[in-house]
Amino acid sequence: MDWTQYLTPLTLGAWVTIELTIYSTVFGALLAFAAGIGKLAHNPLIRAISIGYIEIFRGTSLLVQLFWLYFALPVAGQAIGIDLRLPPVAAGVLALSLNIGAYGAEVVRGAIQSVSKDQYEAARALNFTPRKTLWRVALPQAIPEMMPPFGNLAIQNLKDTALVSLISLSDLAFRAEQLRNFTQDSTTIYTLALLMYFGLALVLTAMMKLLERFVGRWRAGAR
Amino acid sequence: MSDEPIIKFDKVVKRFGDLTVLNELDFEVKKGEKVSIIGPSGSGKSTVLRILMTLEDINGGVVTVGGEPLWHEKAPDGSLVPASETHLRKMRTQLGMVFQQFNLFPHMTVLRNITEAPVQVLGLTKQEAKQRGEELLELVGLADQAQKYPHQLSGGQQQRVGIARALAMRPNILLFDEPTSALDPELVGEVLNVIGKLAEEHDLTMLLVTHEMRFAREVSDRVCFFDQGRIREEGAPEDLFTDPNEERTREFLQAVLDN
Amino acid sequence: MLFGIAWDTSSGWAFAVSILPILLIGMWVTIQATVLGFFIALAVGLVWAALKAAPLKIISWPAAVVTEFLRDTPLLIQLFFLYYVLPEFGITLPAFMTGALALGLQYSAYTSEVYRAGIEAVAKGQHEAARALNLSGGRTFTHIILPQAIPRIVPAMGNYLVSIMKDVPLLSVVTVLEMLNVARIIGDRTFNYLVPLSMVGALYLIMTLVASAGVRLLDNWLPKQGIPLK
């Protein structure tokens, strides 16, 4: 079989991979901000929830989390009489977001803490509320600091989407596996799949660099 | 200048661990008075300003600003209890501070640095804040720099923005914490000019911690010499600088003026 | 029954207790795969680091591209690639070895960066000092640079050890009976996924906590100014 014939099914799979990456990166980023800020909160309950979430999802394996959400959660739901069966796409996006969000939360926390004490003092002298200090002063300065590690996490997330093929979502990895089963032409198919992932990663890296330049446009040397 | 003190330190104690920085300090500033605080480093000069700006709390005594305790609140039974954040927020509206390292917000333009707090904290409209900001930039001679970012300005220009930013909140009391110490010598003058102009033209109460002795002498109504957490000597600038009573003051002045 | 151990489904607790020994057998495989993968990553990463530092662009460039490729593509596909493609070239490895090799290769891209960063951080300045003392290039590297770079390298490597551990469950797709695979098999046969999968989660938390604590201990124990090599 000619290798060009693999391109259509693989491209279809790549679209699913792109969608999964976008959804889970966006949800993951939201979770990262919530838990990263939550870990610095004064309220001990919010802090405990944030720390618990971060530690559990950083301390266990993504595939364990994915299987737990897909296979174990419905059993738990059954026990308490709620239907917690998730469609594969929901389980996949949820597991990827929760996982990447936990790593991102540490990035967010670290970046907020790296904002200098002087800035907090200036905000206090100008009578900003703690909330406005966070949103107006600390976060705008912390976000450019977060971008390089966020870029790495986004790549990590793209690679991790391949795991959802194991709960039968037809992403790029799934299509490749399907084609191999069908044709046994493993060398060509996996080489193509790897190259496509590599291409996606390069595009994603370039996009994150652009985003980094955009959020840090006020910085010295940025222009 | 009225006679009632707008700032009053009553036996104020401040410790950092084992180190006593303010040792039962008694200190008063009258409304509209311009006071310079001089003294060796580590004598607690900046701590006085930082306590007033509520950046440092106190370990003993009472600080009063505008007749109200700063770090305390009156409980229903009349006794003083440590202040809540709400009380501190109310008290802070009377004060403004100019920092040694400027502490401008690097992610905001010059104008935005000045308008942000009036909009976010005082609730001015963007238009009102912008007008106020432009007037203040005019005052500090930076009207043409409004759209630049802090890192594009010289240190002296940044500090003038710092002054405009503090003034935008319309404080009664303006605190200057070594405003020229971080500047290259050739940039000190432009900042001192602005402070001098403010001292002349406004009835602001000004408290200035500085190493610029000549400027302190020109601009202030009174100079306080701090040493080891207390005021060792205070008086009118011409008296204190020309004929200090205390040996410590004489030594200190000798040392700085020789440099 | 798995590995000759039967489970007891009479109650949740009895079930959990009865499958714990089975899961621990899987955990042992997880640990073995982690350690083997880690050592491959350390060794191969060192090769990449050396190639990337080569003065000839014709050597350093391909090495940089290959490590970037390894870093930017999914472990799962790399694993499938090795598992299905290597035999076509006459290389037949047991699934466990293929899995450890895939882990090692993917992480060699990361470890090569750790070596590079660790050595570069030390090399500046020290190189000149060594040249002034007239030490040879080789001696400079083994006696001056490496001893100082090691304390910087070890903690970062330790973090990758923990990451490898969390990636081992992927090996289940090529039939390796590591902990997650074992739990799934139990789930498939008992229709109770909740207990075994939750136990795997808990066991993972314990493993990563212990490993992270070990890394921190090692980091504290290593003298920051460097290790003298005899």
Side-chain angles (χ1 to χ4, degrees):
Chain A
M1 212 164 137
D2 184 31
W3 66 272
T4 49
Q5 287 181 278
Y6 301 138
L7 285 179
T8 312
L10 288 180
T11 309
L12 283 175
W15 269 116
V16 176
T17 295
I18 291 168
E19 284 176 273
L20 283 168
T21 307
I22 292 172
Y23 293 148
S24 53
T25 303
V26 170
F27 282 130
L30 293 178
L31 283 166
F33 275 95
I37 293 168
K39 195 172 171 180
L40 297 170
H42 287 293
N43 183 324
L45 183 67
I46 294 176
R47 214 163 50 223
I49 292 172
S50 306
I51 292 172
Y53 158 64
I54 293 168
E55 292 303 318
I56 286 174
F57 282 87
R58 276 165 50 102
T60 58
S61 166
L62 171 60
L63 195 55
V64 175
Q65 292 155 20
L66 181 66
F67 280 5
W68 198 93
L69 286 173
Y70 191 64
F71 295 111
L73 192 63
V75 182
Q78 221 170 25
I80 52 172
I82 308 172
D83 185 5
L84 289 176
R85 281 173 301 175
L86 297 174
V89 67
V93 170
L94 194 58
L96 288 166
S97 313
L98 284 167
N99 185 265
I100 214 75
Y103 287 94
E106 287 294 281
V107 173
V108 170
R109 179 197 55 78
I112 291 176
Q113 285 184 322
S114 76
V115 173
S116 90
K117 204 175 115 271
D118 288 353
Q119 291 290 309
Y120 290 103
E121 291 194 344
R124 196 169 154 88
L126 293 168
N127 226 350
F128 282 92
T129 58
R131 182 184 301 250
K132 287 203 163 138
T133 304
L134 176 69
W135 287 102
R136 301 275 163 183
V137 177
L139 276 180
Q141 296 183 56
I143 287 173
E145 293 293 320
M146 299 173 197
M147 292 319 290
F150 267 5
N152 289 338
L153 286 178
I155 298 292
Q156 184 68 45
N157 204 19
L158 167 66
K159 295 195 300 175
D160 283 345
T161 57
L163 296 191
V164 300
S165 64
L166 303 178
I167 56 169
S168 67
L169 259 174
S170 51
D171 72 329
L172 179 50
F174 186 85
R175 297 283 186 170
E177 177 62 6
Q178 226 178 13
L179 282 175
R180 185 203 57 80
N181 247 321
F182 191 65
T183 65
Q184 299 301 319
D185 186 5
S186 32
T187 312
T188 315
I189 291 164
Y190 286 129
T191 304
L192 282 175
L194 284 171
L195 286 173
M196 287 175 100
Y197 272 111
F198 190 46
L200 290 179
L202 293 181
V203 172
L204 187 56
T205 307
M207 279 165 47
M208 293 304 286
K209 282 269 185 307
L210 279 180
L211 188 61
E212 181 178 342
R213 190 132 16 117
F214 175 73
V215 296
R217 62 195 178 283
W218 49 269
R219 295 218 266 195
R223 56 190 69 208
Chain B
M1 198 190 300
S2 88
D3 275 351
E4 56 176 305
I6 191 168
I7 298 170
K8 190 172 172 195
F9 277 60
D10 186 8
K11 296 210 168 12
V12 171
V13 177
K14 175 63 187 174
R15 286 185 221 99
F16 291 113
D18 290 337
L19 185 73
T20 303
V21 185
L22 296 185
N23 185 9
E24 302 205 343
L25 174 70
D26 289 319
F27 175 53
E28 282 186 11
V29 178
K30 293 193 194 71
K31 195 156 182 294
E33 201 178 9
K34 327 291 183 209
V35 177
S36 291
I37 299 178
I38 60 171
S41 37
S43 59
K45 302 174 306 227
S46 288
T47 308
V48 169
L49 300 196
R50 293 174 56 81
I51 286 172
L52 282 167
M53 198 61 254
T54 69
L55 303 176
E56 304 280 0
D57 61 1
I58 55 176
N59 303 111
V62 178
V63 178
T64 321
V65 171
E68 258 192 279
L70 178 66
W71 278 103
H72 298 85
E73 272 175 281
K74 283 209 176 71
D77 63 0
S79 65
L80 288 180
V81 295
S84 66
E85 187 56 33
T86 320
H87 177 77
L88 291 176
R89 279 184 60 75
K90 193 189 80 192
M91 296 300 290
R92 244 180 249 137
T93 58
Q94 304 182 56
L95 297 139
M97 185 153 178
V98 175
F99 295 89
Q100 185 178 352
Q101 302 289 343
F102 332 135
N103 299 15
L104 296 183
F105 301 130
H107 56 297
M108 297 180 190
T109 61
V110 163
L111 184 62
R112 188 78 190 278
N113 258 282
I114 301 170
T115 58
E116 187 72 1
V119 172
Q120 297 297 331
V121 179
L122 302 181
L124 263 62
T125 66
K126 289 215 165 104
Q127 199 49 48
E128 290 166 337
K130 183 164 177 268
Q131 199 188 342
R132 188 184 282 193
E134 281 165 351
E135 282 167 18
L136 287 166
L137 280 178
E138 192 76 45
L139 177 78
V140 299
L142 292 172
D144 51 340
Q145 310 286 333
Q147 295 310 321
K148 291 203 173 155
Y149 283 95
H151 71 82
Q152 297 171 302
L153 303 184
S154 74
Q157 291 173 319
Q158 290 191 48
Q159 190 58 296
R160 281 143 68 195
V161 177
I163 295 169
R165 184 176 71 170
L167 286 171
M169 297 299 281
R170 301 268 160 94
N172 304 324
I173 303 165
L174 197 50
L175 311 168
F176 294 88
D177 186 8
E178 306 197 22
T180 57
S181 298
L183 297 177
D184 293 335
E186 73 272 18
L187 301 176
V188 169
E190 58 186 77
V191 173
L192 293 184
N193 278 343
V194 169
I195 301 175
K197 193 160 74 170
L198 277 179
E200 248 172 63
E201 296 172 6
H202 291 259
D203 57 356
L204 270 171
T205 306
M206 287 173 40
L207 211 50
L208 174 75
V209 170
T210 187
H211 295 295
E212 299 288 333
M213 295 305 151
R214 184 139 39 113
F215 181 70
R217 185 170 177 169
E218 275 171 31
V219 81
S220 28
D221 303 314
R222 179 157 58 103
V223 177
C224 300
F225 173 64
F226 260 64
D227 189 35
Q228 294 175 342
R230 284 179 184 233
I231 295 175
R232 186 59 75 99
E233 183 170 359
E234 60 182 318
E238 52 274 22
D239 299 337
L240 192 124
F241 281 116
T242 47
D243 184 26
N245 294 326
E246 299 267 338
E247 189 52 34
R248 273 296 286 146
T249 319
R250 204 181 302 271
E251 282 168 20
F252 173 77
L253 289 173
Q254 202 84 59
V256 270
L257 294 177
D258 279 354
N259 271 329
Chain C
M1 196 160 96
L2 193 62
F3 305 132
I5 301 169
W7 41 75
D8 173 359
T9 50
S10 59
S11 75
W13 277 115
F15 183 48
V17 171
S18 66
I19 62 171
L20 183 62
I22 310 174
L23 291 177
L24 289 179
I25 292 172
M27 186 183 189
W28 178 232
V29 176
T30 301
I31 292 170
Q32 286 174 311
T34 303
V35 172
L36 185 57
F38 183 58
F39 279 112
I40 295 172
L42 288 183
V44 179
L46 192 57
V47 175
W48 294 134
L51 291 178
K52 281 197 278 188
L56 282 176
K57 282 233 162 59
I58 199 158
I59 300 174
S60 63
W61 236 80
V65 172
V66 170
T67 51
E68 194 61 41
F69 188 84
L70 286 173
R71 202 200 342 249
D72 283 354
T73 50
L75 175 60
L76 185 69
I77 314 284
Q78 294 174 7
L79 179 62
F80 278 140
F81 188 92
L82 293 180
Y83 190 70
Y84 290 109
V85 174
L86 283 185
E88 289 188 8
F89 293 89
I91 306 166
T92 316
L93 293 173
F96 175 84
M97 295 304 286
T98 310
L101 187 61
L103 284 169
L105 281 180
Q106 163 123 123
Y107 278 91
S108 70
Y110 294 96
T111 58
S112 74
E113 273 306 292
V114 177
Y115 287 121
R116 192 194 55 75
I119 288 167
E120 257 179 27
V122 175
K124 279 185 187 156
Q126 294 283 327
H127 251 315
E128 280 151 32
R131 193 165 305 151
L133 293 171
N134 213 5
L135 286 168
S136 74
R139 275 184 88 80
T140 307
F141 189 77
T142 54
H143 286 66
I144 312 279
I145 306 224
L146 210 50
Q148 294 182 74
I150 286 172
R152 294 166 189 271
I153 288 173
V154 166
M157 292 299 185
N159 291 336
Y160 284 128
L161 175 77
V162 178
S163 296
I164 291 176
M165 186 186 277
K166 288 185 280 192
D167 274 344
V168 170
L170 265 73
L171 273 50
S172 61
V173 300
V174 293
T175 71
V176 173
L177 282 173
E178 50 66 58
M179 188 159 56
L180 181 66
N181 204 2
V182 169
R184 253 199 89 179
I185 293 171
I186 298 171
D188 286 343
R189 297 197 190 156
T190 61
F191 300 103
N192 183 348
Y193 290 100
L194 181 61
V195 173
L197 286 179
S198 303
M199 287 173 75
V200 169
L203 289 170
Y204 251 103
L205 271 181
I206 295 170
M207 285 201 299
T208 52
L209 277 177
V210 170
S212 307
V215 171
R216 221 164 329 157
L217 270 180
L218 189 61
D219 185 25
N220 289 340
W221 171 79
L222 281 174
K224 284 287 157 293
Q225 68 278 20
I227 304 164
L229 295 181
K230 283 281 134 59

